[in-house]
Amino acid sequence: MGRKLDPTNKVKRGPGKKARKQKGAEVELAKFITDGKDLFRLSKIFFFSNQLLPIERAAKKEKKQKKLMDLGSEDDDDDEEEEEEEEEEQEDDGDEKEEHQDEDMDEDGTLETNTDDVDRFRLPDPEESEKEGMLSLDLKTIHQRIKDNVDVLCNFSAKREEGKARGDYVSLLKKDLCTYYSYNSFLIDKLMELFPLSELVDFLEANEIQRPVTIRTNTLKTRRRDLAQALINRGVNLDPIGKWSKVGLVIYDSSVPVGATPEYLAGHYMLQGASSFLPVMALSPQEGEMVLDMSSAPGGKTTYIAQLMRNTGVIVANDANSERLKSVVGNIHRLGVTNTVVCNYDGRQFPKVMGGFDRVLLDAPCSGTGVIAKDPAVKTSKDEADILRSAHLQKELILSAIDSVNAESPSGGYVVYCTCSITVEENEWVVDYALKKRNVKLVPTGLDFGKEGFTNFKQFRFHPSLKLTRRFYPHSHNMDGFFVAKLKKFSNVVPTVPAEKGEGFSYVSFVPGISTVQRDQMEKRDGSKPKTKPNGTTFKPTEENKSKSGPKKAKIAKMDGEGVKAAGVKKPTVKADVKNEAPKSDKNEGSRFEKKQAKKRKKPTIVKKRLGKNKFQKLKTMLKKHERE
């Protein structure tokens, strides 16, 4: 056996991994070090991170590597010498560290300032910001700057840079957030108003991650335990969604497509987001009730209501989009729902169609700021006009939903309003509007988790009961952003706006087949109060206005007739003229304006006759006086 094959003997075959790494570090370090100041600064940093690389130590290691290369394979005495050399190097390093410590004790002030300069976050200069505009920065650099900026803003008084205002840091943070997460400036401003800075980054990060896939067990056909066992046998990794739901399952991964299993096609479960469970749980429909789902597509909430009602009662599933109703019909048939009627009406006009429901669920169309993970286009496509347009539509829908509910229902009278948006304009603002316009009040949703709604936000001041509403966020609850509010209707009487200040409310009784627009028109017709102009003055009808109306024209005609009778001069000729002129106007078929002019021409003739009569009487009196004289 040769020496090389003897396992007891260690043979040196040149520099190992450690030596090669050391040499590479020294070469790279030499490229960056140009001045003595930089060398001193780097030595300080390496010293405090326990990674000091003294030049003498590097030189000794180089000599040792050369000796090993020259010697090649020799006796085992080399190992003992290496151990001795390493011990000497450790002693030398210890002495050097002590010397450095002594020097640092003498230069404490300078050392502290150097470390503070390295750790403190500084705003970029105008020249640097210009360079950033010309050259795109690395995303890692921007992400680190966002973290440092948020840290400074959270403890601004202690960590801010002298001479810099908070607005400078906030503007830089907005710019970096828009660049890193690809949002427009409007949406970033909205989110910064909603969340504190420490929570804002968590929300934005959560929107970059897809929410877990969740399914809802259809208890009309199976139980959750049996469904879970069947899916596990097919290679699906799943767990219960949580203690708050008895029918939900969360799927982590699957070896088969979840939307094409035999269990799915048989209607044993429905693919549905966790946040969509919440409004139905808040509605809590009872067996035998009459329930309206005002915007039902694609049918997840409708079928959940049906399984809670155990296919009893009646559910009206409405949606304004006829194309989306196809998915509702398909899911209803697949899941075995038999108590649902599908219809296609505009939700704003639904009280015209029918009313008297026990409960109404309104999942209003919104801007979608809570489901950015599903639809990233929301980041750049939404602006202020979109938010206000959605809020206006939601206000109309919530009023029609309230008008569709019967307050005298023995078990119901509830309306659940929900959106997949997190903006205040689409949530608390809409609910507060409904509280002012209808006889409703907020009640607890029955959900054990979620954050309370806002009662004051910027310039808005809402009703204190809005704390009973619930908000859900992706970074807090690992589900889509959602808002849920539950309203109880306590009277079918609709309050209307008073005509003048200081007067009480007037009331109109509730009629199920009449819309809100028609009800307002009825109030205007029936109102006996004088109309008011915008400047506050009352509107008084004049003689010209009276002459324009039908019944008042008849009165004037009677007066004219009496005057003509009193005169006793050529009355039949006037009637004959009128009879002769009427067919001419029909034959000519002139405009309304011409007809009005023709009518106006008749009156001066009568007036002239009256004036002639007066002149005749005056002449008569004058002649009598003359004769007496």
Side-chain angles (χ1 to χ4, degrees):
M1 298 292 290
R3 183 182 177 87
K4 291 182 180 179
L5 298 175
D6 188 2
T8 58
N9 296 329
K10 295 180 181 179
V11 180
K12 295 292 182 181
R13 299 184 181 179
K17 286 184 179 180
K18 187 176 180 182
R20 287 198 296 272
K21 283 182 181 178
Q22 187 66 36
K23 187 174 181 180
E26 291 165 3
V27 173
E28 294 294 329
L29 187 64
K31 290 180 183 178
F32 292 102
I33 296 175
T34 55
D35 300 331
K37 293 180 180 179
D38 295 336
L39 179 62
F40 175 75
R41 189 176 177 184
L42 286 169
S43 64
K44 295 288 183 184
I45 296 168
F46 283 124
F47 172 72
F48 281 98
S49 60
N50 295 325
Q51 293 181 357
L52 295 173
L53 298 173
I55 298 173
E56 294 180 359
R57 183 177 180 183
K60 285 183 180 181
K61 287 190 175 182
E62 285 181 4
K63 289 179 183 179
K64 185 173 69 172
Q65 290 169 6
K66 286 180 181 179
K67 286 180 182 179
L68 292 172
M69 292 292 291
D70 295 338
L71 293 174
S73 59
E74 289 193 2
D75 299 331
D76 297 336
D77 298 337
D78 296 339
D79 296 336
E80 297 177 358
E81 291 177 0
E82 288 174 5
E83 292 175 359
E84 292 176 0
E85 288 178 0
E86 287 177 0
E87 290 176 359
E88 290 176 0
E89 288 173 1
Q90 289 176 1
E91 291 176 359
D92 295 338
D93 294 339
D95 297 337
E96 289 174 2
K97 286 179 182 179
E98 290 177 0
E99 292 175 0
H100 283 300
Q101 286 176 0
D102 295 337
E103 292 175 0
D104 295 335
M105 292 293 288
D106 297 335
E107 301 176 358
D108 283 338
T110 57
L111 181 64
E112 288 176 2
T113 55
N114 289 334
T115 53
D116 291 342
D117 293 340
V118 172
D119 294 338
R120 182 174 291 176
F121 170 71
R122 289 185 176 181
L123 291 172
D125 298 333
E127 296 178 356
E128 294 178 359
S129 59
E130 289 179 3
K131 289 180 182 178
E132 289 177 7
M134 298 293 292
L135 302 172
S136 59
L137 283 177
D138 185 13
L139 289 178
K140 290 183 179 179
T141 307
I142 295 175
H143 186 58
Q144 186 61 40
R145 191 162 71 181
I146 288 170
K147 287 184 176 179
D148 296 338
N149 200 345
V150 169
D151 185 36
V152 172
L153 288 170
C154 290
N155 193 5
F156 188 69
S157 59
K159 296 186 177 182
R160 70 167 183 167
E161 186 180 352
E162 293 182 1
K164 299 291 184 181
R166 189 181 182 87
D168 299 333
Y169 287 89
V170 172
S171 61
L172 178 63
L173 180 62
K174 287 181 184 177
K175 180 183 174 184
D176 289 342
L177 290 173
C178 293
T179 305
Y180 188 78
Y181 294 103
S182 302
Y183 284 79
N184 59 9
S185 58
F186 164 75
L187 200 54
I188 286 291
D189 289 337
K190 284 286 180 187
L191 296 176
M192 289 183 78
E193 292 169 357
L194 276 172
F195 299 106
L197 293 175
S198 58
E199 196 176 351
L200 173 63
V201 178
D202 296 337
F203 174 79
L204 296 174
E205 288 288 345
N207 286 334
E208 301 300 315
I209 305 167
Q210 292 292 329
R211 303 276 76 76
V213 179
T214 54
I215 61 174
R216 174 179 55 80
T217 308
N218 182 19
T219 55
L220 296 174
K221 291 191 173 184
T222 186
R223 294 183 299 177
R224 184 170 71 167
R225 185 193 309 167
D226 300 336
L227 175 65
Q229 188 60 48
L231 292 177
I232 288 169
N233 294 338
R234 295 190 184 278
V236 180
N237 184 15
L238 51 82
D239 271 330
I241 198 170
K243 294 181 180 179
W244 55 273
S245 175
K246 295 181 180 179
V247 295
L249 291 170
V250 57
I251 295 175
Y252 300 110
D253 55 15
S254 174
S255 58
V256 294
V258 183
T261 61
E263 287 79 13
Y264 177 82
L265 298 174
H268 290 184
Y269 65 89
M270 174 83 179
L271 281 166
Q272 191 173 356
S275 57
S276 297
F277 294 13
L278 304 173
V280 181
M281 294 171 63
L283 187 67
S284 64
Q286 306 299 315
E287 295 182 17
E289 287 186 338
M290 190 174 177
V291 180
L292 168 65
D293 189 356
M294 191 166 276
S295 54
S296 59
K301 299 181 185 67
T302 304
T303 53
Y304 192 12
I305 293 170
Q307 81 176 42
L308 290 177
M309 295 172 66
R310 299 182 182 179
N311 261 342
T312 61
V314 177
I315 301 172
V316 178
N318 177 66
D319 200 274
N321 190 347
S322 58
E323 292 297 323
R324 298 189 70 196
L325 281 175
K326 295 176 182 178
S327 60
V328 178
V329 175
N331 285 321
I332 285 172
H333 286 299
R334 183 174 60 84
L335 295 170
V337 176
T338 59
N339 65 341
T340 301
V341 179
V342 181
C343 58
N344 178 25
Y345 291 102
D346 185 357
R348 294 171 290 184
Q349 306 298 328
F350 201 84
K352 288 182 181 179
V353 181
M354 62 186 303
F357 291 95
D358 296 313
R359 296 169 197 260
V360 174
L361 174 62
L362 174 60
D363 185 3
C366 60
S367 61
T369 53
V371 290
I372 296 174
K374 290 181 181 178
D375 185 13
V378 176
K379 294 180 179 180
T380 54
S381 62
K382 300 300 177 184
D383 57 3
E384 185 72 27
D386 294 324
I387 303 293
L388 296 177
R389 194 182 301 112
S390 298
H392 180 70
L393 175 61
Q394 288 156 0
K395 288 177 181 178
E396 291 179 323
L397 286 172
I398 195 171
L399 291 186
S400 64
I402 293 168
D403 291 340
S404 300
V405 173
N406 182 15
E408 298 175 358
S409 170
S411 61
Y414 293 101
V415 177
V416 170
Y417 172 81
C418 61
T419 64
C420 56
S421 176
I422 59 171
T423 57
V424 175
E425 289 84 355
E426 297 179 79
N427 296 325
E428 284 88 354
W429 193 21
V430 176
V431 176
D432 189 67
Y433 174 81
L435 292 175
K436 293 176 182 176
K437 292 293 182 180
R438 294 292 183 270
N439 288 321
V440 292
K441 62 180 179 180
L442 280 166
V443 295
T445 57
L447 302 171
D448 299 333
F449 63 104
K451 295 188 177 181
E452 294 182 355
F454 291 98
T455 54
N456 54 359
F457 179 78
K458 292 178 64 180
Q459 74 272 21
F460 299 109
R461 296 295 178 270
F462 303 122
H463 196 272
S465 62
L466 274 162
K467 64 182 180 180
L468 296 174
T469 61
R470 286 292 175 265
R471 285 175 159 266
F472 302 91
Y473 298 120
H475 64 285
S476 302
H477 309 100
N478 199 20
M479 61 177 66
D480 294 327
F482 222 74
F483 174 82
V484 180
K486 188 174 183 179
L487 299 162
K488 168 70 174 174
K489 186 175 182 181
F490 56 85
S491 175
N492 286 331
V493 177
V494 179
T496 58
V497 181
E500 294 181 358
K501 291 182 180 180
E503 295 182 359
F505 286 102
S506 60
Y507 294 94
V508 177
S509 61
F510 170 74
V511 181
I514 296 176
S515 67
T516 54
V517 178
Q518 288 179 337
R519 191 177 294 111
D520 293 338
Q521 291 176 356
M522 288 172 62
E523 290 165 8
K524 288 179 182 177
R525 290 172 191 167
D526 298 338
S528 59
K529 296 174 185 177
K531 297 180 181 178
T532 56
K533 294 182 180 180
N535 58 3
T537 59
T538 56
F539 177 80
K540 295 181 180 179
T542 58
E543 293 180 359
E544 295 179 359
N545 294 327
K546 287 180 181 178
S547 63
K548 290 178 184 178
S549 59
K552 291 177 183 176
K553 280 183 182 177
K555 289 182 182 178
I556 293 170
K558 286 179 182 178
M559 290 172 68
D560 294 340
E562 290 172 4
V564 173
K565 284 179 182 178
V569 181
K570 293 183 180 179
K571 178 183 171 185
T573 57
V574 175
K575 286 186 177 179
D577 294 339
V578 173
K579 287 179 182 178
N580 293 331
E581 287 176 5
K584 287 181 182 178
S585 62
D586 294 335
K587 288 178 183 178
N588 295 332
E589 294 181 356
S591 63
R592 293 180 182 176
F593 181 72
E594 292 174 355
K595 290 178 181 179
K596 287 181 179 178
Q597 283 183 340
K599 290 179 182 179
K600 288 178 182 177
R601 286 170 191 163
K602 300 170 191 173
K603 292 177 182 177
T605 57
I606 298 169
V607 174
K608 282 180 181 178
K609 290 174 184 176
R610 288 180 180 175
L611 289 171
K613 178 187 173 184
N614 294 335
K615 285 181 179 178
F616 180 74
Q617 288 178 353
K618 285 181 182 179
L619 287 169
K620 222 174 179 183
T621 52
M622 286 174 67
L623 287 170
K624 286 180 181 179
K625 286 181 182 179
H626 186 66
E627 288 174 357
R628 287 175 185 174
E629 292 174 356

